[in-house]
Amino acid sequence: MVVCKKILVCLSLLLVCLLAGCGAPLLSDREIVRAVFFEKSASGVRAVMLLEGKNAEKPTPETVLAEGPSPMQALQQAEHRLQGDVFYGLMDLAVFTDAFSCEEIRTAGKELWDTLRPVPRIRTLLLDSEAAPTDWKQGTGELYEQITAGSKRAHFSSGLQQLFVQEKEYALPEWQGTGFGFVFLRQGREAVRYEAGLNAQLSAVLRRQSDRLDCRIPEQDLRLRANATVQCDAQPSGGAVLRLTLRDIKLSSGSAAAPEAESRQKLENTVQAAFMRIRADTAADGFDPLRLHSWTFALDGSRPDTAAARLELVLES
C-alpha cells in the first residue's frame, strides 16, 4: 500500500510538471504573441506580429514585421527576428486584409491551426485595407485594442474553425475602422461585403455567428437593440423558412411622437427587405451561404434552395 501511494505521488508530481512546462523556458522569458495580422505586399505577404510587452510597470506591446511568399512563411521570418522562444498559447486574434481570397485565407488558417495550435477561442477576422495602419510599427497596438473593444460590442462568433465548417465557403466579420461589417467568401467567386449596419448584423445572425442586433436604421429613423435567435424549418415545396425571433427589444425612433406599433411595422419591413437583399446577393448554385443545408438535412434529409428561402419575423417584448 505504501509503495502504491509513493507511485501515485510521483505520478502526480510528474503530471504537475508536465502541465506547468517543467524544463521549458519560463513564460516571462518567452515572446508571447497576442495577435497576428497579414497583408499583401510587393514581395508577397507581410506578417505583423503583436507581442505582449515585457516591462512589468508599463507593458507596452511590441510589433515585429516580416515578409515572405505566403502568410506562414512571412510569420516564420518574423519568428526568426525574435530573441526568445515564441509562445502562441495566449494568441486570440488572426486578421487578414480584404486583399486575400477565400482560398488564400482558408489555406493560411489551416496552416495556423496545424502548426501553431492556437487556443480554440482565437478570433479570425478580415480588415478593410482602408482601416489598416499606415505605420504598422506604431499603429498595431491601437488597432488591436479597437478590434477587441468592437468585438465585445458586436457579439460576433468568428473562431478559426469557421473556415473549415463548409467546403467551399465561409463568412467572417470585417473591421472597417469604426465598426464591423460582414463578408461572405466563396471559392471561385467574388466576395459579398456589407458595411457595418443591419445587413451585416442580420447576415451574422442568420448564419448563427451572432445573437444580437444593435444598430441604427437611418432610412427609417430607428435605433434597434435586441437579442436574436434563428431556427430553420424545411418546407414541402422545397424551400425553407428561417424563423427569426427578437427578444428584449429596445426600439427608438427619432420622432418622439411615433407610435410603437408604427415603429415595429417599419422594423419588420426593413428586416424583411434586408433579408431579401442578402438572399439575392449570396444565392448561387452549389453554395449554402445561410447554412440551410446542414440545418434541414439534420432534420429531414432535405437540401432546400437558398433562393427560395423566406423569413418569418417574431417580435417579442
Side-chain angles (χ1 to χ4, degrees), residues 98-250:
D98 54 16
F100 290 91
S101 69
C102 172
E103 294 87 344
E104 289 172 326
I105 295 173
R106 189 196 297 274
T107 298
K110 190 173 189 313
E111 290 178 340
L112 279 172
W113 186 268
D114 292 341
T115 305
L116 306 182
R117 295 294 180 183
V119 289
R121 64 186 177 88
I122 185 173
R123 293 164 291 154
T124 308
L125 309 172
L126 296 175
L127 174 65
D128 187 335
S129 295
E130 295 185 1
T134 54
D135 183 349
W136 283 100
K137 274 285 188 183
Q138 299 297 322
T140 305
E142 181 180 357
L143 177 61
Y144 175 81
E145 294 299 331
Q146 291 174 352
I147 290 176
T148 299
S151 297
K152 292 179 180 178
R153 295 192 301 269
H155 277 236
F156 281 126
S157 169
S158 59
L160 190 60
Q161 65 274 17
Q162 290 285 346
L163 306 182
F164 320 122
V165 173
Q166 293 172 279
E167 183 180 353
K168 298 188 294 183
E169 60 192 313
Y170 52 90
L172 294 173
E174 178 181 65
W175 180 249
Q176 298 175 341
T178 57
F180 280 105
F182 199 74
V183 183
F184 291 86
L185 296 109
R186 301 174 294 176
Q187 184 176 315
R189 287 181 175 266
E190 186 176 350
V192 176
R193 281 185 163 80
Y194 293 118
E195 294 185 1
L198 178 61
N199 288 350
Q201 293 186 17
L202 180 60
S203 296
V205 168
L206 294 176
R207 281 187 54 87
R208 279 88 71 197
Q209 288 181 236
S210 178
D211 60 1
R212 179 176 298 184
L213 294 177
D214 187 355
C215 60
R216 295 187 180 280
I217 308 175
E219 63 271 23
Q220 297 290 359
D221 197 21
L222 295 175
R223 176 74 172 85
L224 170 66
R225 183 175 297 170
N227 294 322
T229 57
V230 63
Q231 292 180 308
C232 180
D233 293 320
Q235 299 297 296
S237 60
V241 175
L242 284 163
R243 186 172 295 104
L244 174 64
T245 302
L246 301 185
R247 298 183 175 86
D248 305 319
I249 300 171
K250 294 182 180 179

